[in-house]
Amino acid sequence: MVFVSALCICLLFNYAVSAIPKPEEKRVLDHDPLSHAQHYQNDEHNKQYDHEAFLGEDAKTFDQLEADESRRRLGLIVDKIDGDSDGFVNLSELKAWIQYTQRRYIDDDVNRQWKTHNPNNTEKVHWDTYRKNVYGFLDEIASQAPDHASDEHFSYRAMMKRDRRRWSIADRDGDDELTREEFTDFLHPEESNHMRDVVVTETIEDIDKDSDGKVSVEEYIGDMYRQGEQNEEEPDWVKHERETFTNFRDKNKDGFMDNQEVKDWITPADFDHAEAEARHLIYEADSDADEKLTKDEIIEKYDLFVGSQATDFGEALTRHDEF
């Protein structure tokens, strides 16, 4: 359950900037770059994670397809993954596909938002332009009713302050304007090494409820689990997460995760998400244990890859350019 946070950490692959953002929306992607779904839920493997890792954010109309048609389209995707056309999908091909789906999502997202905030397609976007597009309504509210700001408006202002900080870090030359590359870093900081520290900072801010600058075990658990009845026993997976916090997350054993420990948690060194997910999918679908997948093996495990409950994935199966 690496990287699961209320940023959810919604953070969500969607950082969909509209004219007025919702105050509960966060600006960091889910720490796991492959999916905003938890890989494990209640100690059970979550197939939703696999669907999204395999198909990217391209599946919003998947449930509208008939089963036979969706399987047919899955077969066409398999043909695309099999780069050497030898009839098998090996680890490197599946890893490359997973990386491609994530990169395509990021490119599509940046293209969409670049057009929104830079309709004339100039070389750079100024902070004032972005701020006006996203938070300009706050100026009107302040001018009309300066003494009647609601909690919601304070939330918007907090979001604007966070965006301002992130914008400044993405702005490498300090001119308060972002090139398309810098704008990509702003929208998707988890993809840029020099932006990782701000991802850690934002994560701590979201989880650290008492604002002491560190994450306690209760804050860590509270970000994933909301207890119901007061005397309700915690499920086993929560107990396991408590042990994980004590034994692995809190490396200096002071009862908290500090900045470096949070960084080790959400951006672990030498961990390749795409390869780990590719290995997992092969392990689950490789019926003859030859460490590669045939089209039949993938379609046989249809539910693992693109199951019908994938309400948030699979638009890849409906894209006209794919089929």
Side-chain angles (χ1 to χ4, degrees):
M1 189 185 293
V2 181
F3 304 171
V4 179
S5 267
L7 342 183
C8 255
I9 285 179
C10 248
L11 314 182
L12 286 137
F13 272 125
N14 294 357
Y15 181 64
V17 175
S18 56
I20 301 178
K22 298 176 182 177
E24 68 271 17
E25 286 177 350
K26 307 297 192 296
R27 297 310 173 111
V28 184
L29 295 182
D30 187 343
H31 293 319
D32 191 324
L34 303 184
S35 172
H36 63 256
Q38 297 184 14
H39 205 170
Y40 291 87
Q41 287 185 328
N42 300 350
D43 261 354
E44 297 292 332
H45 183 264
N46 182 13
K47 288 183 179 179
Q48 179 173 326
Y49 179 98
D50 298 321
H51 301 156
E52 195 162 320
F54 182 71
L55 295 169
E57 289 287 310
D58 280 335
K60 294 181 175 61
T61 59
F62 179 81
D63 276 345
Q64 299 174 16
L65 296 173
E66 296 292 335
D68 288 346
E69 174 63 9
S70 59
R71 284 182 172 85
R72 184 189 73 83
R73 296 193 182 197
L74 173 58
L76 295 178
I77 286 181
V78 175
D79 291 338
K80 293 171 69 70
I81 299 173
D82 180 15
D84 58 10
S85 301
D86 66 350
F88 298 94
V89 171
N90 60 36
L91 177 65
S92 63
E93 289 170 333
L94 188 53
K95 175 183 173 180
W97 170 261
I98 291 171
Q99 291 172 326
Y100 162 73
T101 59
Q102 170 57 7
R103 188 69 245 174
R104 183 175 63 183
Y105 162 72
I106 291 173
D107 289 343
D108 288 349
D109 182 50
V110 172
N111 285 337
R112 182 177 64 254
Q113 297 201 48
W114 183 256
K115 290 177 181 177
T116 297
H117 300 293
N118 185 16
N120 295 325
N121 196 29
T122 57
E123 290 186 1
K124 295 184 177 184
V125 175
H126 197 281
W127 163 254
D128 289 341
T129 299
Y130 176 83
R131 189 198 69 81
K132 183 177 180 180
N133 286 344
V134 179
Y135 301 108
F137 68 98
L138 290 174
D139 297 336
E140 184 176 354
I141 291 172
S143 64
Q144 293 178 352
D147 298 325
H148 294 84
S150 67
D151 290 341
E152 182 179 58
H153 298 145
F154 283 121
S155 296
Y156 288 131
R157 293 191 183 282
M159 289 172 62
M160 183 172 65
K161 183 178 180 180
R162 173 179 287 199
D163 272 3
R164 186 64 171 113
R165 177 180 59 197
R166 193 195 287 192
W167 185 281
S168 296
I169 296 172
D171 179 21
R172 298 194 185 206
D173 58 7
D175 63 356
D176 221 14
E177 295 181 297
L178 300 188
T179 63
R180 194 181 187 285
E181 181 180 359
E182 291 170 335
F183 192 65
T184 300
D185 291 344
F186 169 73
L187 294 180
H188 296 276
E190 76 293 336
E191 295 295 316
S192 174
N193 288 332
H194 88 281
M195 298 291 292
R196 295 291 172 86
D197 285 345
V198 76
V199 175
V200 174
T201 298
E202 292 176 2
T203 300
I204 292 174
E205 289 174 348
D206 287 327
I207 300 176
D208 177 23
K209 301 307 181 184
D210 61 7
S211 301
D212 64 354
K214 51 191 177 181
V215 177
S216 68
V217 65
E218 295 304 327
E219 289 168 335
Y220 173 78
I221 295 297
D223 190 49
M224 316 176 208
Y225 172 70
R226 298 292 185 270
Q227 190 171 21
E229 299 285 334
Q230 185 173 5
N231 296 322
E232 179 182 70
E233 184 176 358
E234 289 183 342
D236 289 341
W237 72 268
V238 175
K239 296 176 182 177
H240 173 72
E241 281 300 323
R242 288 186 181 277
E243 294 173 0
T244 297
F245 181 96
T246 300
N247 296 330
F248 300 103
R249 308 284 187 232
D250 177 20
K251 295 181 178 181
N252 63 6
K253 308 305 177 186
D254 66 349
F256 300 91
M257 278 197 290
D258 58 24
N259 190 284
Q260 184 59 49
E261 289 166 337
V262 171
K263 187 173 186 177
D264 292 342
W265 168 41
I266 66 174
T267 59
D270 302 322
F271 184 79
D272 188 325
H273 287 275
E275 180 166 333
E277 177 62 12
R279 288 185 182 279
H280 164 70
L281 291 172
I282 289 175
Y283 173 81
E284 292 290 337
D286 184 16
S287 58
D288 59 5
D290 63 353
E291 298 185 354
K292 53 188 177 182
L293 301 178
T294 64
K295 183 185 292 188
D296 287 343
E297 285 176 323
I298 291 175
I299 293 178
E300 177 67 24
K301 288 289 187 175
Y302 164 88
D303 187 57
L304 175 69
F305 289 89
V306 293
S308 62
Q309 297 306 308
T311 56
D312 247 39
F313 344 99
E315 193 175 316
L317 298 178
T318 60
R319 290 170 68 108
H320 297 297
D321 60 343
E322 295 283 358
F323 308 100

